[in-house]
């Protein structure tokens, strides 16, 4: 994934980063991110989508890391391998245009590595959304999150998690309703019920029967003016911070490709913020050759949490803005026409 | 439940409101993406593809080079969310490989490969959204990306999909129409009116075929105009960026007099 650079260039970058004040090739501070631009709703056929780019040149839209994320919901029966309560599956695809110097086998390996990191973090039960059930015990939604890397200019993990979070924020789950079929003495009719209400007066059940069973056999999609309910728990999705480490205890954020080649040791810290003051470390990976002492690790994780919190609040305000832009403004202009 | 969708109704309108020979909205974006030498994002209505071209450059594998010309390598990636139903397409999928081979065969006679012996030109096609006429969009986007990369070609290659509904011919089909009627994809070189590619997987009457070929040539000329305009606009933009601030004072002239 890192481009190969000469020892001289690598030493130049390392010395620049370790000096006081630290120098980076594009003049940023150690903890500055490049410009991040985000747009949601880019794939109308998907249930939720987002296009994110880090470090794209604003004048001619060139360069930068660009990720396209989309979620699709499919119905799954429990017998065919679904889970009661739904499943979340994540896949990362690398476009060969993003890594032109890699052979197709190396590209597949890279895809597999990235998929494992993203899938294991996001499909964890602690982040599982509640509204992926359709008929409990029979049918549920399978949420497939696909991330496509269109170009890579460094800091790919942060970009992947941010794009995933934006696409999941944008996801709408279609509304469904149970259908229960009851045979009456005069013939068969269908009776529709909302939710899990139990029918009170079937003549055959005994008074001692205290089970609350649904006989829901099927479901239907409700015809609604909007795309559905938002995915539950969308405040919970995590963000990732990649700390690129410079051996004598310094670190920097948002590395470009040459900086990544010069500072090979990285720590990925993935944080979720369930409430305003609390935070949860959802995952951590250490990549690259090198070692870190446990005291260093503690300080690094604390600092990563601070950065993650800032990133998370910035991302939240941006996706809310996008919601306003797409939904409310469209509704306003429609009502004004 | 619901009315049957008419491919072409009595008033001459298609299911999406277009006329018989009307093409969908064409949008072209030639801005540079990533490290590609040339790239183009093109959409015909809801079908959107992104093509990046790298090259001519040194080949990844020496065994694949030719001593007297450049090797063209086409790789197609179809996004899982591009169609209505999610379908994960693996890289080695035969359908996708056939698609890539078709694009390669289309461009082999058009690109001046004899100018770059022992090198490789990589064309990476990313299909983002599919709503019918995917091959048409890929070929048009590839032409633009190659031009954007500065690779010499004999001519533009403009592709269009045509189909026939009972006896009426139609151009630029959507998914709904492609599933229903026989259709053929034709790629032409607009200046010489020569046909570079004809591909069809359904059954079509021979007389209709002649009609469709003629229509496709005309449609190719229209697409050529649009593509040329986009390329000229992009070139003008690049030239303006290169010229250091000579023509930037025009804005002062727009003063509103009260």
């Amino acid at each position: 994934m890192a481009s190969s650079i000469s020892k001289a260039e690598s030493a130049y970058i390392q010395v620049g980063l370790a000096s006081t004040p630290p120098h980076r090739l594009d003049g940023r501070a150690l903890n500055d991110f490049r410009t991040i631009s985000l747009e949601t709703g880019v794939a109308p056929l998907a249930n939720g989508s987002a296009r994110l780019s880090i470090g794209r040149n604003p004048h001619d839209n060139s360069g930068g890391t660009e990720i396209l994320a989309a979620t699709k919901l499919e119905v799954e029966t429990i017998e065919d391998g679904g889970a009661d309560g739904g499943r979340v599956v994540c896949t990362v695809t690398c476009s060969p245009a993003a890594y032109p110097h890699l052979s197709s086998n190396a590209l597949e390996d890279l895809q597999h590595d990235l998929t494992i990191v993203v899938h294991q973090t996001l499909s964890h039960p602690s982040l599982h959304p509640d509204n992926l059930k359709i008929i409990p015990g029979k049918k549920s939604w399978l949420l497939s999150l696909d991330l496509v890397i269109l170009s890579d200019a460094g800091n790919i993990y942060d970009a992947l998690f941010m794009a995933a979070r934006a696409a999941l924020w944008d996801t709408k789950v279609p509304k469904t309703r149970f259908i229960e079929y009851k045979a009456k003495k005069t013939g068969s009719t269908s009776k529709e019920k909302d939710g899990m209400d139990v029918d009170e007066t079937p003549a055959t059940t005994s008074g001692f029967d205290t089970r609350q069973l649904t006989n829901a056999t099927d479901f239907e999609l409700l015809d609604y003016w909007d795309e559905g309910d938002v995915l539950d728990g969308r405040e919970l999705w995590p963000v990732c911070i990649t700390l690129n480490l410079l051996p004598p205890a310094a670190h920097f954020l948002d590395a470009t490709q040459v900086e990544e080649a010069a500072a090979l040791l990285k720590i990925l810290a993935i944080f979720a913020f369930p409430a305003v003051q609390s935070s949860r470390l959802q995952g951590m990976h250490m990549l690259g050759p090198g070692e870190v002492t446990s005291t260093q690790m503690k300080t690094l994780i604390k600092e990563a949490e601070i950065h993650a919190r800032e990133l998370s609040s910035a991302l939240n305000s941006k996706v809310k803005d996008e919601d306003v832009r797409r939904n409310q403004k469209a509704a306003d202009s429609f009502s004004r026409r | 439940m619901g009315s049957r969708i008419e491919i072409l109704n009595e008033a001459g309108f298609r299911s999406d409101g277009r006329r018989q020979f009307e093409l969908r909205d064409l949008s072209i974006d030639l801005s540079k993406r990533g490290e590609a030498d040339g790239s183009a994002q093109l959409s015909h209505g809801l079908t959107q593809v992104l093509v990046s071209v790298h090259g001519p450059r040194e080949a990844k594998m020496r065994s694949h080079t030719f001593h007297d010309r450049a090797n063209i390598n086409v790789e197609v990636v179809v996004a899982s969310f591009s169609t209505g139903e999610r379908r994960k397409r693996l890289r080695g999928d035969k359908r996708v490989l056939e698609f890539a081979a078709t694009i390669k065969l289309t461009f082999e006679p058009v690109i001046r490969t004899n100018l770059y012996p022992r090198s490789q030109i990589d064309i990476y096609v990313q299909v983002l959204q599919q709503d019918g006429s995917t091959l048409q969009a890929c070929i048009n986007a590839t032409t633009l990306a190659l031009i954007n990369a500065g690779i010499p070609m004999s001519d533009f290659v403009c592709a269009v999909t045509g189909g026939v509904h009972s006896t009426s011919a139609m151009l630029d089909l959507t998914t709904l129409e492609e599933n229903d009627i026989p259709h053929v994809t034709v790629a032409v070189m607009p200046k010489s009116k020569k046909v570079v590619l004809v591909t069809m997987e359904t059954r079509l009457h021979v007389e209709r075929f002649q009609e469709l070929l003629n229509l496709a040539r005309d449609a190719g000329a229209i697409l050529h105009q649009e593509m040329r305009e986009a390329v000229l606009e992009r070139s003008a933009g690049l030239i303006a960026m290169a010229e250091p601030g000579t023509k930037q004072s025009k804005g002062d002239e727009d003063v509103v007099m009260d």
Side-chain angles (χ1 to χ4, degrees), chain A residues 39-275:
Chain A
E39 195 183 337
T40 53
V42 291
L45 289 169
N47 295 90
S49 56
R51 190 169 194 156
L52 180 128
S53 55
I54 303 183
R56 196 173 60 171
N57 185 333
H59 302 293
D60 59 1
N61 280 352
S62 70
T65 302
E66 196 166 347
I67 314 267
L68 188 53
T71 52
K72 264 197 106 56
L73 291 163
E74 292 166 299
V75 181
E76 230 188 357
T77 43
I78 309 297
E79 296 95 48
D80 285 342
D84 195 16
R87 271 199 305 156
V88 175
V89 173
C90 310
T91 335
V92 178
T93 320
C94 301
S95 168
Y99 300 100
H101 52 282
L102 287 183
S103 70
S104 56
N105 285 335
L107 204 63
E108 299 236 346
D109 285 342
L110 178 62
Q111 250 177 221
H112 179 76
D113 289 342
L114 295 170
T115 303
I116 291 267
V117 171
V118 176
H119 175 72
Q120 283 181 343
T121 312
L122 293 181
S123 64
H124 194 263
S126 62
L127 294 171
H128 192 91
D130 280 335
N131 55 350
L132 291 182
K133 306 183 187 67
I134 305 177
I135 300 178
K138 292 209 184 82
K139 294 198 189 202
S140 58
W141 289 114
L142 164 65
L143 178 83
S144 319
L145 171 65
D146 291 298
L147 295 146
V148 180
I149 302 178
L150 296 173
S151 67
D152 182 0
N155 206 14
I156 194 74
Y157 285 98
D158 291 6
L160 283 171
F161 277 94
M162 273 197 274
R165 186 181 186 176
L168 288 164
W169 181 284
D170 191 44
T171 306
K172 299 259 176 20
V173 182
K175 296 196 222 264
T176 56
R177 192 162 62 167
F178 301 150
I179 298 180
E180 192 178 312
Y181 293 95
K182 280 201 156 15
K184 287 207 168 154
K185 284 173 199 151
T186 49
S188 61
T189 53
S190 89
K191 195 169 174 184
E192 289 172 3
K193 288 163 165 280
D194 289 284
M196 293 199 32
D197 301 327
V198 176
D199 191 13
E200 270 101 42
T201 57
T204 48
T205 52
S206 127
F208 293 116
D209 193 341
T210 51
R211 292 175 300 172
Q212 300 223 331
L213 293 174
T214 42
N215 297 325
T217 47
D218 207 352
F219 72 98
E220 62 168 9
L221 286 175
L222 291 178
D223 201 7
Y224 234 70
W225 59 272
D226 67 4
E227 305 273 303
D229 296 321
V230 290
L231 194 61
D232 184 51
R234 61 187 195 163
E235 313 269 339
L236 267 185
W237 298 110
V239 287
C240 172
I241 289 284
T242 309
L243 298 166
N244 308 87
L245 301 178
L246 295 164
H251 67 274
F252 61 101
L253 299 178
D254 194 17
T256 55
Q257 272 188 316
V258 281
E259 287 174 343
E260 276 184 348
L264 291 169
L265 182 60
K266 311 201 241 289
I267 292 181
L268 306 178
I270 304 159
F271 282 96
F273 298 99

Side-chain angles (χ1 to χ4, degrees), chain A residues 42-46 51 56 59-64 66 68-72 74 89 91 93-104 107-108 111 144-153 257, chain B residues 29-36 41 46 48 50-54 57 60-61 75-92 122 124-126 128-131 234 238 241:
Chain A
V42 291
L45 289 169
R51 190 169 194 156
R56 196 173 60 171
H59 302 293
D60 59 1
N61 280 352
S62 70
E66 196 166 347
L68 188 53
T71 52
K72 264 197 106 56
E74 292 166 299
V89 173
T91 335
T93 320
C94 301
S95 168
Y99 300 100
H101 52 282
L102 287 183
S103 70
S104 56
L107 204 63
E108 299 236 346
Q111 250 177 221
S144 319
L145 171 65
D146 291 298
L147 295 146
V148 180
I149 302 178
L150 296 173
S151 67
D152 182 0
Q257 272 188 316
Chain B
D29 181 10
L30 292 173
S31 40
K32 182 174 182 296
R33 268 168 213 285
E35 296 303 311
Q41 180 167 319
L46 292 177
Q48 198 176 54
L50 170 66
V51 176
S52 301
V53 169
H54 290 83
R57 59 178 182 172
K60 270 182 240 170
M61 282 194 274
E75 282 183 39
V76 177
V77 178
V78 179
S80 318
F81 46 82
S82 57
T83 52
E85 260 176 40
R86 179 180 183 265
R87 206 178 307 156
K88 186 170 176 179
R89 260 160 266 249
L90 302 166
R91 192 146 284 153
D122 288 301
Y124 300 120
V125 179
Q126 177 87 37
L128 298 172
Q129 267 175 249
Q130 286 189 60
D131 185 32
R234 164 91 179 153
L238 288 174
M241 277 203 288

Side-chain angles (χ1 to χ4, degrees), chain B residues 78-122:
Chain B
V78 179
S80 318
F81 46 82
S82 57
T83 52
E85 260 176 40
R86 179 180 183 265
R87 206 178 307 156
K88 186 170 176 179
R89 260 160 266 249
L90 302 166
R91 192 146 284 153
D93 186 31
K94 294 287 183 266
R95 197 103 173 86
V96 171
L97 286 180
E98 192 188 337
F99 201 77
T102 312
I103 299 178
K104 179 176 166 165
L105 285 174
T106 311
F107 283 95
E108 243 165 14
V110 183
I111 300 178
R112 295 266 168 86
T113 48
N114 54 318
L115 295 174
Y116 304 105
R118 287 181 296 277
S119 45
Q120 179 160 315
I121 298 174
D122 288 301

Side-chain angles (χ1 to χ4, degrees), chain A residues 11-25 28-30 246 248 250-252:
Chain A
Y12 178 73
I13 295 175
Q14 285 169 351
V15 165
L17 288 166
S19 63
T20 40
H23 295 294
R24 284 174 87 165
L25 294 178
R28 285 184 283 151
L30 288 186
L246 295 164
H251 67 274
F252 61 101

